[in-house]
Amino acid sequence: MIVLIDYDAGNTCSVMNALKRLEVDFVLSDDPEVIRSAEKVIFPGVGHAKAAMDSLREKGLVEVIKGLTQPVLGICVGMQLLCTSSKEGDADCLDVIPLRVTKFDENPALKVPHMGWNTLTNVQDHPLFKGIESEEYFYFVHSYYVPQSSYSIADCEYDLEFSAAVQKDNFYGIQFHAEKSGPIGAQLLSNFITQI
Amino acid sequence: MLTKRIIPCLDIKNGRTVKGVNFLNLRDAGDPVELAKKYALEGADELVFLDISATQEERETIYDLVYRVAEQINIPFTVGGGIASSDKVSKILNNGADKVSVNSAAVYNPQIVKEISDKFGAQCMVVAIDARHVDGQWLVHTHGGSKPTELELFSWAEKMEDMGAGEILFTSMDHDGTKEGFACEALAEMSSRLTIPVIASGGAGKMVDFKEVFTDGKADAGLAASIFHFNEIPIPELKSYLKEEGISVRI
């Protein structure tokens, strides 16, 4: 069973709709036992990193998520929360991936949030991207980003190159909203469910 | 490379699309869900639903519509019209919308923008501004552009950015409905003064208007209604044209 972590993240409903369209069996839960016993876990996220961490702490889910051994997919802020910390609200995050989430430069010529459809760069041969060509577009909305690192499995260019997708062990993260990225986004979610 | 966005706007009244549409291949062109699906398939980058219902009773139908659209559409969409409280925003987002747009309510109570942005994130807070050029300056108007205010467009847009808007949707009342092109000069001025994306609205009539709004107008997205609804400019054709003209678009 796929479990979607329920902690009032803004895109929960969109992720649920995307999973329904894929005809995937899933449950939405904040119950540690249900989450721990999942075959795979999806960790959504939209909004403020600090507020999201506060919500996870309130629900007693911080250690639960850190201790998961099955595949976990963090989406957008869900990916950012997998990192050590975020500049957004100077939040301490889950520290699963030893990276610091930072903000796009305060550059008057640069529109922030990075909002809209963008292509990926440096896409690695990875099961998450199976059947997805490198020139395909994904939908991004974010003001903070995960820097490039050895955990990057795909990057994206906006002013600079940042991490569009990461993996460390059983933890996967995507900065873009696969649930809102048309048929290509659906393909990626399906890859997480069937190929990993 | 980040692409310029093409956004069809659907006017909704009592849960139905109101602007006349003449698609032969749609079962029910008055059904916003059918139209939204068609646009998503054709390559629209986002959708905007503007609720122009007159009564409270009619407005209640928007939640069900949002739910049905979200079930079937896998691109982002914004809902606007009559939004004046964060309770309503919460209900709209919980039913599956990605963003809300606030217009008149922001003029009467600018704090609402901060409240929504703080609670749900700037990414879902679109501030819609209707303005008209009056005696040498652009003045913000409310109530679908019918009521003038004393607010100057550019400083108002800057204030909205400071309050937490994630995007500005600027409609030039002078250009809206003319099909003679967008208000490129004002749009470029706005874009240079803001660091958040600007959606241009009002005046689209020809494909070249979109090219100009992205080059001269420096807009991040172009929104239109009737030219898409009447299939005067099919979205795939528009995007191929823009690509040939060197504009970055998603095809």
Side-chain angles (χ1 to χ4, degrees), chain A residues 21 46 111-112 117-118 182, chain B residues 1 45 71 123 191 195 220:
Chain A
R21 285 191 291 266
V46 163
K111 298 286 183 79
V112 175
W117 298 79
N118 206 334
Chain B
M1 189 176 179
D45 296 305
E71 262 185 332
Q123 85 291 332
S191 206
T195 64
D220 299 284

Side-chain angles (χ1 to χ4, degrees), chain A residues 13-32:
Chain A
C13 179
S14 301
V15 176
M16 287 169 68
N17 281 323
L19 294 175
K20 282 182 203 161
R21 285 191 291 266
L22 288 170
E23 298 180 352
V24 170
D25 278 332
F26 70 93
V27 290
L28 175 68
S29 177
D30 59 1
D31 180 336

